[in-house]
């Protein structure tokens, strides 16, 4: 669910659009960026914060994010998710607050429950000293009136892996070793204080340099821009922008399904359990938080995004590949040195729209048709879509998938629970489909429209696709020429075509 205020989204879009415009014109200098700051915050009166100086510092941070930089120039973090320090200071520092419901009772159960001396009587109610409070919550549990509330900040509440803490000044701090780049904190912050690095400027420079830059649109794309905007429509618009071509990543869904089917067949024979490999946030959660399960149970097949990038780089080793989708974690995957021939950059839908707007290009319906994926590959984006495609590939290989027990995890909480059960040896299912966003990629943090609208438009667009089979479709591609495995090892004998 997108919870960012509309005004924050519009401000981000406007800043990125203007930064892209300067990049297209080769005028993106420090002086030009400072002029942008003054254009957005002319003064002398502040628009939404305490003073224009604070507002201008926030705009500077957003401009740095729009240029692919960390908003804090002093930070050495390489995380794609970053905090704008100047924007993060309006949430309460303390987690437990005494409300007006406090009756200032004689029993003072809260004071007696506190082990840190953080509670003292005030004039009309009890008071919690934030410097002494350790957020144990015993005071809230002991209050007979329920007068003490737990104020959990939205960013921390949204984080599925407890990667967020706070500095002594109350500024959000993201632990790079725990963060899985899911992006849920970004769209939960009501002040827009958390964002992700945007690589639009780098992509514009690659296009302007004359390189062959190819866009790769996620399976979640169909429906994001309404029922009249097909993959062919977006392909035409991206070519106007300067991309050499566009390929739908649903093709990579077919590729991944076929090779994961081979892994599932082998694991089933050996009595091993296995997890899917498509969601980079899920894989990152395994690697950082469940390392033993990561080594033992993860699929070694690459994600559809990486599969298409490898295919394109096989055709032209010098091409630049750019993923476009609803996912923040895909940006992290493009920086993952453990994966060979991964895409060079990743953009969200809002970011590519800002790039289009910077050149006055609209995405309009076109008469031509375009399809490179089976319906199963196209449906990878929804919860259950990966498992359905893998089972279909198994059927096409002559395997009977009946009796296989599947667990479809949608959202961080479900994924963590499944991995905890797997770690404890109590997971009943054979295969786990892990997607860190509720509803799958369609419910990703950077989707372009509300999920209900996307699903309605998506149903109509997918209804126009042909019913080609997965393996039949893959016969049109040189699957024996590039690796489908994480380590990049190419073994032509490992093939779904037998």
């Amino acid at each position: 669910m997108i919870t960012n205020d509309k005004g924050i989204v519009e401000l981000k879009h406007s800043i990125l659009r203007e930064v892209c415009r300067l990049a297209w014109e080769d005028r993106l200098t420090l002086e030009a960026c400072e002029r942008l700051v003054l254009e957005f915050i002319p003064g002398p009166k502040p628009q939404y914060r305490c003073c224009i100086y604070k507002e201008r510092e926030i705009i500077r941070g957003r401009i740095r994010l729009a240029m692919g930089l960390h908003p804090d120039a002093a930070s050495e973090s390489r995380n794609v998710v970053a905090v704008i320090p100047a924007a993060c200071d309006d949430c309460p520092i303390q987690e437990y607050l005494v409300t007006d419901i406090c009756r200032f009772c004689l029993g003072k159960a809260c004071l007696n429950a506190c082990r840190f001396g953080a509670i003292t009587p005030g004039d009309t109610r009890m008071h919690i000293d934030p410097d002494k409070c350790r957020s144990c919550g015993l005071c809230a549990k002991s209050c007979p009136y329920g007068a003490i509330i737990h104020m959990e900040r939205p960013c921390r509440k949204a984080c599925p892996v407890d990667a967020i803490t706070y500095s002594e000044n109350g500024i959000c701090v993201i632990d790079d070793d725990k963060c899985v780049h899911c992006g849920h904190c970004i769209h939960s912050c009501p002040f827009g204080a958390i964002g992700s690095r945007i690589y639009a400027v780098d992509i514009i420079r690659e296009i302007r340099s004359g390189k062959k830059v190819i866009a790769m649109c996620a399976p979640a794309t169909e429906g994001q821009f309404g029922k009249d905007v097909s993959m062919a429509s977006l392909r035409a618009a991206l070519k106007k922008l300067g991309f050499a071509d566009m390929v739908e990543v649903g093709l990579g869904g077919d590729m991944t399904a076929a090779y994961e089917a081979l892994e599932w067949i082998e694991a089933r024979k050996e009595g091993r359990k296995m997890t899917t490999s498509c969601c980079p946030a899920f894989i990152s959660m395994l690697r950082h938080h469940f390392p033993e399960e990561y080594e033992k149970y993860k699929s070694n097949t690459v994600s559809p995004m990486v599969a298409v990038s490898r295919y394109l780089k096989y055709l032209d080793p010098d091409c630049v590949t750019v993923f476009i989708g609803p996912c923040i974690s895909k940006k992290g995957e493009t920086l993952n040195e453990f994966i060979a021939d991964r895409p060079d950059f990743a953009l969200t839908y809002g970011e590519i729209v800002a790039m289009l707007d910077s050149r006055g290009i609209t995405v309009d319906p076109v008469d031509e048709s375009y399809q490179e994926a089976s319906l199963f590959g196209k449906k990878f984006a929804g919860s259950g879509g990966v498992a359905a495609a893998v089972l279909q590939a198994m059927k096409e290989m002559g395997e009977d998938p009946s009796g296989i027990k599947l667990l479809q995890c949608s959202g961080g909480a479900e994924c963590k629970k499944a991995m905890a059960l797997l770690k404890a040896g109590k997971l009943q299912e054979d295969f786990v489909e892990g997607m860190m966003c509720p509803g799958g990629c369609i419910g990703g943090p950077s989707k372009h429209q509300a999920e209900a609208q996307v699903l309605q438009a998506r149903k109509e667009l997918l209804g126009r696709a042909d019913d080609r089979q997965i393996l039949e479709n893959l016969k049109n591609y040189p699957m024996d020429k590039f690796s489908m495995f994480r380590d990049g090892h190419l073994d032509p004998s490992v093939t779904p075509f037998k």
Side-chain angles (χ1 to χ4, degrees):
M1 179 177 66
I2 294 179
T3 56
N4 246 344
D5 179 78
K6 182 180 178 183
I8 297 173
V9 175
E10 289 177 351
L11 178 63
K12 290 180 182 178
H13 180 89
S14 299
I15 291 171
L16 179 56
R17 182 191 63 222
E18 295 309 311
V19 167
C20 288
R21 188 170 291 161
L22 289 171
W24 284 118
E25 297 169 0
D26 197 21
R27 294 192 299 113
L28 191 57
T29 62
L30 288 175
E31 183 180 353
C33 288
E34 195 57 30
R35 280 200 301 269
L36 266 187
V37 172
L38 297 178
E39 286 175 18
F40 279 100
I41 309 295
K45 294 183 178 181
Q47 299 177 30
Y48 53 91
R49 291 295 181 110
C50 60
C51 65
I52 61 171
Y53 308 106
K54 186 180 188 66
E55 291 181 344
R56 286 173 180 171
E57 192 59 30
I58 293 171
I59 297 299
R60 290 188 186 99
R62 294 205 180 285
I63 289 174
R64 286 184 61 82
L65 277 176
M67 296 172 65
L69 304 172
H70 196 286
D72 182 358
S75 175
E76 296 181 355
S77 171
R78 293 184 69 246
N79 198 335
V80 297
V81 180
V83 179
I84 304 173
C88 181
D89 70 345
D90 282 327
C91 286
I93 295 177
Q94 62 193 97
E95 289 192 37
Y96 285 89
L97 299 174
V98 180
T99 68
D100 289 338
I101 300 174
C102 176
R103 309 322 300 158
F104 210 50
C105 61
L106 294 176
K108 296 184 173 46
C110 58
L111 188 150
N112 295 324
C114 182
R115 298 172 296 180
F116 308 103
I119 298 182
T120 54
D123 294 332
T124 59
R125 63 183 179 185
M126 303 304 288
H127 171 72
I128 299 176
D129 185 341
D131 293 330
K132 295 181 179 179
C133 179
R134 295 295 180 269
S135 302
C136 67
L138 290 177
C139 58
K141 292 177 182 178
S142 66
C143 177
Y145 297 102
I148 302 177
I149 61 171
H150 183 204
M151 287 285 293
E152 189 173 14
R153 287 164 71 164
C155 56
R156 188 170 185 175
K157 187 176 182 180
C159 180
V161 291
D162 301 318
I164 292 179
T165 55
Y166 304 103
S167 70
E168 59 183 9
N169 297 316
I171 304 298
C172 173
V173 177
I174 299 174
D175 188 330
D176 292 353
D177 292 329
K178 291 184 177 180
C179 179
V180 297
H181 319 118
C182 65
H184 293 166
C185 58
I186 295 174
H187 292 282
S188 295
C189 177
F191 295 100
I194 308 177
S196 67
R197 302 189 196 213
I198 302 169
Y199 300 104
V201 171
D202 298 286
I203 295 166
I204 289 169
R205 286 173 179 156
E206 298 282 31
I207 292 174
R208 292 186 72 251
S209 71
K211 289 187 179 179
K212 185 178 181 180
V213 183
I214 305 175
M216 308 183 302
C217 287
T221 302
E222 286 173 299
Q224 296 287 341
F225 303 93
K227 63 182 179 62
D228 295 322
V229 177
S230 63
M231 283 287 192
S233 303
L234 192 55
R235 189 185 193 194
L238 292 174
K239 284 185 175 182
K240 289 180 184 178
L241 187 61
F243 284 90
D245 202 353
M246 185 216 83
V247 177
E248 64 168 323
V249 178
L251 167 62
D254 287 342
M255 295 173 175
T256 297
Y259 281 82
E260 278 205 1
L262 293 176
E263 289 189 285
W264 283 26
I265 291 169
E266 183 179 357
R268 190 185 188 190
K269 290 177 181 177
E270 297 175 358
R272 287 187 292 112
K273 298 182 186 296
M274 184 170 286
T275 71
T276 54
S277 63
C278 302
C279 174
F282 176 66
I283 291 296
S284 187
M285 184 189 75
L286 291 184
R287 188 156 61 91
H288 291 292
H289 300 272
F290 298 92
E292 291 183 11
E293 286 64 41
Y294 172 78
E295 293 296 335
K296 289 172 64 176
Y297 302 114
K298 77 175 186 308
S299 164
N300 284 310
T301 303
V302 295
S303 69
M305 176 186 82
V306 175
V308 173
S309 178
R310 288 185 178 179
Y311 159 62
L312 293 173
K313 288 179 182 290
Y314 159 72
L315 295 178
D316 184 352
D318 296 324
C319 75
V320 176
T321 53
V322 179
F323 177 82
I324 299 170
C327 183
I328 299 296
S329 193
K330 287 296 184 185
K331 294 185 180 185
E333 192 175 12
T334 64
L335 301 177
N336 189 340
E337 66 275 11
F338 297 105
I339 304 174
D341 291 327
R342 58 195 180 274
D344 298 285
F345 305 104
L347 295 170
T348 67
Y349 295 126
E351 291 161 8
I352 194 62
V353 168
M355 285 184 68
L356 290 165
D357 286 351
S358 72
R359 303 201 74 180
I361 298 170
T362 57
V363 184
D364 301 313
V366 296
D367 292 332
E368 63 186 271
S369 61
Y370 167 75
Q371 180 178 344
E372 283 198 74
S374 73
L375 267 174
F376 293 95
K378 287 175 175 289
K379 291 180 178 179
F380 247 61
S383 179
V386 177
V390 174
L391 293 179
Q392 172 63 22
M394 290 176 71
K395 290 178 183 177
E396 293 179 24
M397 294 173 189
E399 292 287 329
D400 180 10
S402 61
I404 289 179
K405 296 179 181 178
L406 295 172
L407 179 61
Q408 297 166 6
C409 300
S410 174
E414 288 188 10
C415 290
K416 282 182 69 176
K417 180 180 178 181
M419 290 303 100
L421 288 171
L422 185 58
K423 184 174 184 177
K426 296 181 179 180
L427 186 72
Q428 299 298 312
E429 290 80 7
D430 303 311
F431 301 106
V432 179
E433 179 195 86
M435 291 189 171
M436 290 291 279
C437 292
C441 304
I442 296 172
S446 295
K447 54 183 176 288
H448 192 57
Q449 296 188 50
E451 194 169 342
Q453 292 175 283
V454 172
L455 289 173
Q456 186 175 359
R458 182 176 175 79
K459 183 178 180 181
E460 186 163 336
L461 286 168
L462 293 184
R464 302 172 194 166
D466 63 45
D467 59 353
R468 68 184 70 177
Q469 300 289 287
I470 294 174
L471 298 188
E472 173 193 357
N473 189 43
L474 292 183
K475 289 179 180 177
N476 299 313
Y477 300 91
M479 299 303 299
D480 60 334
K481 301 298 183 182
F482 58 93
S483 173
M484 281 295 297
F485 300 109
R486 288 184 172 274
D487 59 6
H489 178 66
L490 176 61
D491 185 352
S493 67
V494 181
T495 173
F497 307 105
K498 292 182 178 177

